[in-house]
Amino acid sequence: MEPLKLAIDEGGVATITIARPPANALSRRVLEQLDQILTQVEKDDHVRVILLHGEGRFFAAGADIKEFLQVKDGSEFAELAKQGQRLFDRMEAFSKPIIAAIHGAALGGGLELAMACHIRLATEDTKLGLPELQLGLIPGFAGSQRLPRLVGRAKALEMMLTSEPITGSEAKTLGLINSLHSEQTLIDDAKALAKKIAAKSRITTAMVLELVQYACDDKFVEGSEREAELFGKAFDSADGKEGIQAFLEKRKPNFNDQ
């Protein structure tokens, strides 16, 4: 059976479920299939938001360590890292919002996967960390780059150098997690958030995702210039005119992504 499941609802929310019990470890096949699914949902105009979560006890407890034993040498190991980095870079730059609903554990590659998503929800007792040094390794899917951007240099170094995970509660305080939820309501809450975002114009949603990436890449001037350009395009769009008219008429807008 394939390790990932895909379900698309009527509201345009595509739910991707990692189903590799017991740990939902990120194998090469998981990365390959996730890349294929992203291509599918990117081309599907009905899909407006992607929700990613894990089946069973964990979101994703790390990379598939057993596959490491099949790697011949360091150069092949580096290629595996590049495969994950390309995929997670694609996710970060994706034109449709990706929400991660995290429970149980997001460790190593699992946390790197979650950090590549645009929004992260979690339970209070979720364990999040990059424990690779405990194995005599280092993060390989750009975790050493994304974690400092999200929690700051000092805390990122502490987490990596000690290999000790933090809880969802601490992650929320640090800004690594957007919001906390009970395990019973996590998926429903994530879907409700996805539907709220899906109700917006897909044109302007994609614009915001693009612009925030400039900020994350520390390109303020370029980002500001692009913002002004897209601001004009949003105003000229049919959705922009519909949104303004709906506001004046005190009704909900009916966006058609045009």
Side-chain angles (χ1 to χ4, degrees):
M1 295 179 61
E2 291 287 19
L4 301 182
K5 301 176 183 178
L6 173 65
I8 302 173
D9 67 19
E10 294 181 356
V13 178
T15 299
I16 302 173
T17 304
I18 308 171
R20 281 199 81 215
N24 288 334
L26 302 183
S27 64
R28 288 186 178 184
R29 181 54 193 153
V30 170
L31 300 181
E32 291 168 356
Q33 191 186 3
L34 180 54
D35 197 35
Q36 291 166 0
I37 289 176
L38 289 177
T39 297
Q40 177 181 341
V41 298
E42 189 172 36
K43 295 178 179 178
D44 189 340
D45 289 340
H46 177 66
V47 174
R48 310 175 74 82
V49 183
I50 295 92
L51 172 60
L52 178 65
H53 74 102
E55 187 174 84
R57 295 174 53 201
F58 302 111
F59 174 75
D64 192 333
I65 304 299
K66 292 180 180 179
E67 283 195 347
F68 290 178
L69 301 177
Q70 302 170 12
V71 176
K72 297 177 182 179
D73 53 35
S75 61
E76 185 179 343
F77 207 58
E79 283 304 314
L80 175 62
K82 291 177 182 179
Q83 178 188 6
Q85 289 175 4
R86 286 191 294 269
L87 174 59
F88 294 173
D89 287 349
R90 182 186 184 190
M91 291 174 63
E92 190 174 62
F94 209 61
S95 61
K96 299 177 182 182
I98 305 176
I99 300 171
I102 309 166
H103 75 289
L107 300 172
L111 179 56
E112 290 172 310
L113 171 64
M115 289 191 294
C117 297
H118 301 114
I119 297 174
R120 289 167 291 279
L121 282 59
T123 59
E124 288 188 5
D125 58 353
T126 295
K127 301 298 182 184
L128 305 105
L130 296 178
E132 286 86 354
L133 268 69
Q134 197 165 272
L135 300 175
L137 301 172
I138 64 172
F141 296 158
S144 65
Q145 303 304 299
R146 288 194 172 90
L147 189 61
R149 290 196 316 189
L150 292 166
V151 305
R153 174 191 176 104
K155 187 61 182 181
L157 282 170
E158 178 187 330
M159 290 174 64
M160 287 185 281
L161 295 177
T162 65
S163 297
E164 294 179 0
I166 61 175
T167 64
S169 296
E170 185 176 357
K172 170 65 168 60
T173 301
L174 292 168
L176 181 57
I177 297 299
N178 291 72
S179 57
L180 295 173
H181 305 264
S182 72
E183 190 156 349
Q184 292 72 29
T185 67
L186 175 65
I187 301 303
D188 287 341
D189 292 345
K191 287 183 178 179
L193 174 61
K195 289 182 181 299
K196 185 180 293 187
I197 295 172
K200 305 296 189 295
S201 168
R202 193 156 56 87
I203 293 174
T204 49
T205 297
M207 287 179 176
V208 168
L209 291 174
E210 178 187 341
L211 291 170
V212 169
Q213 194 58 44
Y214 280 96
C216 291
D217 294 339
D218 198 23
K219 296 180 179 179
F220 183 89
V221 174
E222 297 93 329
S224 296
E225 291 175 351
R226 182 62 172 157
E227 181 184 81
E229 179 184 351
L230 293 179
F231 188 75
K233 289 185 177 181
F235 182 79
D236 282 340
S237 70
D239 280 350
K241 292 177 172 56
E242 163 63 13
I244 293 171
Q245 191 64 34
F247 177 81
L248 295 174
E249 295 175 0
K250 298 182 179 179
R251 60 176 175 82
K252 288 185 178 181
N254 181 25
F255 295 126
N256 294 308
D257 303 327
Q258 297 178 350

